[in-house]
């Protein structure tokens, strides 16, 4: 499926422009900024590399008589929409319950999981509508992968969307380039939904790579960054999962995937698109392969993205976009 614009006399007609982001984590404002940036930069494809799901569910307690309690603050009905917008902009979910419902969420993990599932699915469906509205006048496809924090039922919701296309397990043709995607990561201290040991991850990645016809011009859209690069620096954690501080500074260590590094070393794709480690925005090279992680500040409503411009079998330019 070719995504080049109609050819003309400009030397830019053969350029393929991709805007990549990752780790949106439920933020409405970051999602909208990403779509707007894609339109503004006139890209040929938008790619989200994983971790669409938010991390928190905030109960809004209906106290009756037009009163609500949100994060230990009492508000009136007139302040409800503003409170909901604040929660959503920073990537949180909400559920409106009475005091009995709040007790049930605290005491029954199954009810809490169901509330999370409903909130995640509802927000993803609302994003589908936003995507369809913003992209209806432009021919820009949106390719979406899940990350380690994303429950797999989210794939079913993505499949409902007209303008979103799931990528994991599929070879996606973007211009003259093939893209494979995989969202599982090497083990983390957080025991997230989609993790696997490095040996199994390596074998699964090789299965995806085997589907490509030309690895040399391909794009590896793999959620975890390669180990021991500029893309995978994160705080060292103690036994209580708190950052270790020495000499007044946080100790940083490499936490990326050795399996991802190994397949990049062995197969040398044109470009690697990664996320997962929010604080490690950067680019690097492994052999001939340029690898990028745009980072993430979803909680502040700040978009982090990477604009990649490809020309035939080479990367003409790349830059990070923050705003």
């Amino acid at each position: 499926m070719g995504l080049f614009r109609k050819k003309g006399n400009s030397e830019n007609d053969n350029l393929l422009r991709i805007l990549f982001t990752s780790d949106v984590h439920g933020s409405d404002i970051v999602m909208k900024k990403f779509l707007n940036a894609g339109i503004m930069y006139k890209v040929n494809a938008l790619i989200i590399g994983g971790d669409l799901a938010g991390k928190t569910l905030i109960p809004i307690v209906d106290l009756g008589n037009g009163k609500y309690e949100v994060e230990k603050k009492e508000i009136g009905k007139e302040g409800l929409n503003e409170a909901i917008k604040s929660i959503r902009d920073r990537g949180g979910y909400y559920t409106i319950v009475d005091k009995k419902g709040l007790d049930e969420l605290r005491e029954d993990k199954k009810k809490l999981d169901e509330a999370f599932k409903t909130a995640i699915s509802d927000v993803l469906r609302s994003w589908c509508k936003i995507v369809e509205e913003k992209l209806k006048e432009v021919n820009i496809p949106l390719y979406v992968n899940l990350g380690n924090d994303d429950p797999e039922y989210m794939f079913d919701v993505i499949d409902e969307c007209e303008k979103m296309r799931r990528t994991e397990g599929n070879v996606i043709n973007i211009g003259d380039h093939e893209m494979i995607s995989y969202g599982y990561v090497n083990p983390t201290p957080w025991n997230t939904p989609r993790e696997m040991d490095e040996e199994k991850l390596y074998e699964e990645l090789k299965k995806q790579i085997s589907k490509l016809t030309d690895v040399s011009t391909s794009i590896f859209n793999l959620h975890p960054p390669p180990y021991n690069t500029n893309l995978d620096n994160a705080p060292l954690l103690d036994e209580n999962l708190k950052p270790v501080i020495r000499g007044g500074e946080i100790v940083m260590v490499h936490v990326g995937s050795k399996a991802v590094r190994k397949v990049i070393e062995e197969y040398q794709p044109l470009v690697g698109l990664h996320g997962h480690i929010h604080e490690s925005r950067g680019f690097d090279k492994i052999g001939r392969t340029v690898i990028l992680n745009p980072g993430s500040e979803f909680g502040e409503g700040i978009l982090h993205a990477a604009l990649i411009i490809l020309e035939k079998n080479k990367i003409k330019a790349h830059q990070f976009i923050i705003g």
Side-chain angles (χ1 to χ4, degrees):
M1 178 175 58
L3 296 175
F4 289 106
R5 297 187 193 91
K6 187 182 294 183
K7 290 188 178 291
N9 296 321
S10 170
E11 65 176 359
N12 292 327
D13 288 334
N14 289 324
L15 300 182
L16 184 70
R17 302 165 69 88
I18 295 170
L19 190 66
F20 172 77
T21 194
S22 187
D23 301 272
V24 178
H25 284 296
S27 172
D28 282 346
I29 192 167
V30 171
M31 185 65 173
K32 291 173 183 177
K33 285 180 177 180
F34 177 60
L35 298 173
N36 289 337
I39 295 169
M40 183 177 69
Y41 284 97
K42 299 180 179 179
V43 300
N44 301 99
L46 291 160
I47 302 170
I48 301 178
D51 280 1
L52 278 73
K55 296 173 176 285
T56 58
L57 179 70
I58 298 172
I60 298 175
V61 184
D62 187 345
L63 303 174
N65 299 317
K67 300 292 183 180
Y68 299 87
E69 184 179 294
V70 186
E71 298 178 296
K72 298 182 179 180
K73 295 180 180 179
E74 186 173 310
I75 61 173
K77 194 170 185 178
E78 66 280 358
L80 184 59
N81 287 339
E82 183 178 342
I84 289 172
K85 183 179 185 301
S86 174
I87 292 169
R88 292 294 311 119
D89 282 350
R90 62 183 189 265
Y93 300 115
Y94 70 93
T95 182
I96 299 177
V97 295
D98 57 18
K99 289 186 176 180
K100 180 182 178 182
L102 179 63
D103 290 339
E104 290 176 345
L105 290 178
R106 288 170 173 168
E107 298 168 3
D108 190 334
K109 185 179 182 302
K110 184 177 179 181
K111 284 189 178 293
L112 179 60
D113 290 343
E114 288 174 351
F116 251 116
K117 182 176 181 178
T118 297
I120 289 171
S121 299
D122 286 349
V123 166
L124 193 49
R125 288 189 178 98
S126 74
W127 283 4
C128 290
K129 294 179 181 178
I130 293 169
V131 169
E132 288 169 9
E133 181 178 333
K134 286 188 174 291
L135 300 184
K136 67 182 178 181
E137 301 297 333
V138 293
N139 185 27
I140 305 175
L142 173 60
Y143 300 113
V144 180
N145 198 36
L146 298 187
N148 60 296
D149 280 318
D150 296 325
E152 296 217 349
Y153 59 73
M154 293 176 70
F155 275 133
D156 296 330
V157 181
I158 292 170
D159 288 341
E160 298 173 8
C161 301
E162 183 180 343
K163 292 287 186 179
M164 285 188 185
R165 182 174 175 187
R166 63 188 285 182
T167 60
E168 187 166 284
N170 300 316
V171 175
I172 304 297
N173 293 306
I174 306 178
D176 293 331
H177 303 270
E178 296 173 301
M179 181 177 74
I180 58 163
S181 304
Y182 207 64
Y184 279 81
V185 304
N186 49 304
T188 76
W190 314 107
N191 191 30
T192 56
R194 295 184 0 123
E195 300 180 10
M196 62 177 60
D197 65 70
E198 294 277 24
E199 185 176 347
K200 184 177 180 183
L201 182 56
Y202 175 69
E203 293 302 321
E204 291 299 321
L205 291 174
K206 287 206 301 182
K207 290 178 184 177
Q208 301 306 315
I209 296 167
S210 69
K211 301 175 183 179
L212 296 168
T213 58
D214 186 356
V215 178
S216 68
T217 60
S218 69
I219 300 165
F220 282 14
N221 174 25
L222 310 177
H223 191 58
Y227 176 75
N228 194 23
T229 62
N230 294 331
L231 282 60
D232 76 324
N233 289 291
L236 176 66
L237 303 179
D238 62 20
E239 64 275 7
N240 297 313
L241 301 180
K242 301 295 183 182
V244 174
I245 299 176
R246 294 176 187 157
E249 295 186 355
I250 295 175
V251 179
M252 305 294 284
V253 293
H254 293 290
V255 297
S257 168
K258 294 178 180 179
V260 169
R261 182 179 185 108
K262 189 174 181 181
V263 295
I264 291 176
E265 288 175 339
E266 291 177 353
Y267 292 95
Q268 293 286 278
L270 184 62
V271 60
L273 304 178
H274 310 279
H276 186 42
I277 310 302
H278 300 179
E279 55 272 84
S280 200
R281 179 180 76 249
F283 70 92
D284 211 331
K285 288 191 78 175
I286 298 177
R288 70 181 288 271
T289 305
V290 174
I291 54 175
L292 301 106
N293 174 7
S296 175
E297 290 183 273
F298 72 92
E300 288 72 43
I302 299 172
L303 170 67
H304 283 242
L307 178 65
I308 305 104
I309 302 175
L310 304 180
E311 184 178 29
K312 296 183 179 179
N313 61 348
K314 68 179 182 180
I315 299 176
K316 186 174 180 66
H318 60 81
Q319 69 179 74
F320 291 118
I321 296 168
I322 303 171

